[in-house]
């Protein structure tokens, strides 16, 4: 799995280096950029700005805008690692068209633990919190 993930990250890095002239070295030494690359997988359900089938990252950050960064680091790492259920049900009922999916109550974020190690989760959270500013 680790090998596959590395290959995926490298593939993304390779694509990016063509379009944005970023080298692999540049990505490697920039933790936020690395976190962003790792977060590609999240875009199945989350966009930065738009509502897909889950709240956008900006929406999530808005909800917790008064929560200290250290608390959010732990909270988000936990959500990524172990998944999340129930926290956004009411929000989703208002903002997500039920026709898109069967039942809002049944919606949850599956654990992403199988796809990332702790260090990678830390980098993703770093990137996510960088969108706060
Ligand atoms: C299969 C869809 C899916 C994927 C993939 C996914 N999420 Fe989520 N995410 C959700 C849903 C649905 C919720 C709302 C869960 C709830 O109501 O508690 C959520 C909630 C969250 C929250 C809010 C947790 C809180 O404390 O309120 C964060 C942060 C988050 N996701 C980050 C991520 C990141 C980062 C990734 C990629 C590593 C990711 N998600 C991948 C569906 C997904």
């Amino acid at each position: 799995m680790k090998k596959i993930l590395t290959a995926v990250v490298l593939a993304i890095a390779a694509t990016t280096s063509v379009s944005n002239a970023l080298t692999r070295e540049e990505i490697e030494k920039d933790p936020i950029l690395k976190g962003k690359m790792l977060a590609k997988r999240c875009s199945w359900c989350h966009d930065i700005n738009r509502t897909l089938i889950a709240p956008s990252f900006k929406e999530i950050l808005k909800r917790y805008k008064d929560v200290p960064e250290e608390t959010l680091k732990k909270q988000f790492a936990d959500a990524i690692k172990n998944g999340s259920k129930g926290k956004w049900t009411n929000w989703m009922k208002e903002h997500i068209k039920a026709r898109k999916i069967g039942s809002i109550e049944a919606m949850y974020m599956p654990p992403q633990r199988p796809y990332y190690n702790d260090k990678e989760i830390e980098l993703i959270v770093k990137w996510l919190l960088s969108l706060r500013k």
Side-chain angles (χ1 to χ4, degrees):
M1 179 46 82
K2 179 98 181 97
K3 253 192 193 146
I4 296 170
L5 179 69
T6 310
V8 170
V9 171
L10 291 181
I12 295 167
T15 322
T16 311
S17 69
V18 174
S19 55
N20 295 335
L22 276 174
T23 63
R24 206 187 135 204
E25 288 71 39
E26 279 175 304
I27 293 167
E28 282 301 317
K29 67 175 189 250
D30 183 338
I32 291 184
L33 204 52
K34 225 177 152 190
K36 186 180 178 183
M37 293 294 165
L38 288 162
K40 292 280 178 209
R41 200 171 190 287
C42 321
S43 60
W44 286 0
C45 305
H46 298 277
D47 182 63
I48 294 178
N49 296 297
R50 283 179 314 135
T51 301
L52 303 178
I53 58 163
S56 71
F57 286 139
K58 285 282 166 80
E59 186 68 41
I60 293 173
L61 293 169
K62 195 172 101 194
R63 172 168 170 182
Y64 299 121
K65 67 178 176 359
D66 298 325
V67 178
E69 180 146 337
E70 282 309 307
T71 310
L72 281 190
K73 265 189 196 164
K74 291 197 196 83
Q75 182 179 327
F76 289 174
D78 179 64
I80 298 169
K81 220 179 196 173
N82 303 310
S84 178
K85 188 172 187 341
K87 287 188 179 178
W88 289 85
T89 309
N90 285 338
W91 184 92
M92 287 195 279
K93 276 184 187 159
E94 267 179 55
H95 294 91
I96 295 180
K97 291 189 182 68
R99 66 179 160 75
K100 274 197 190 167
I101 35 177
S103 147
I104 298 281
E105 280 82 3
M107 285 283 293
Y108 67 97
M109 170 164 158
Q112 303 295 301
R113 196 186 321 109
Y115 316 110
Y116 303 109
N117 63 34
D118 285 354
K119 179 72 198 161
E120 288 163 337
I121 291 175
E122 201 182 296
L123 290 169
I124 295 171
V125 172
K126 217 182 185 91
W127 166 73
L128 195 51
L129 289 173
S130 79
L131 302 175
R132 232 186 165 189
K133 279 113 211 165

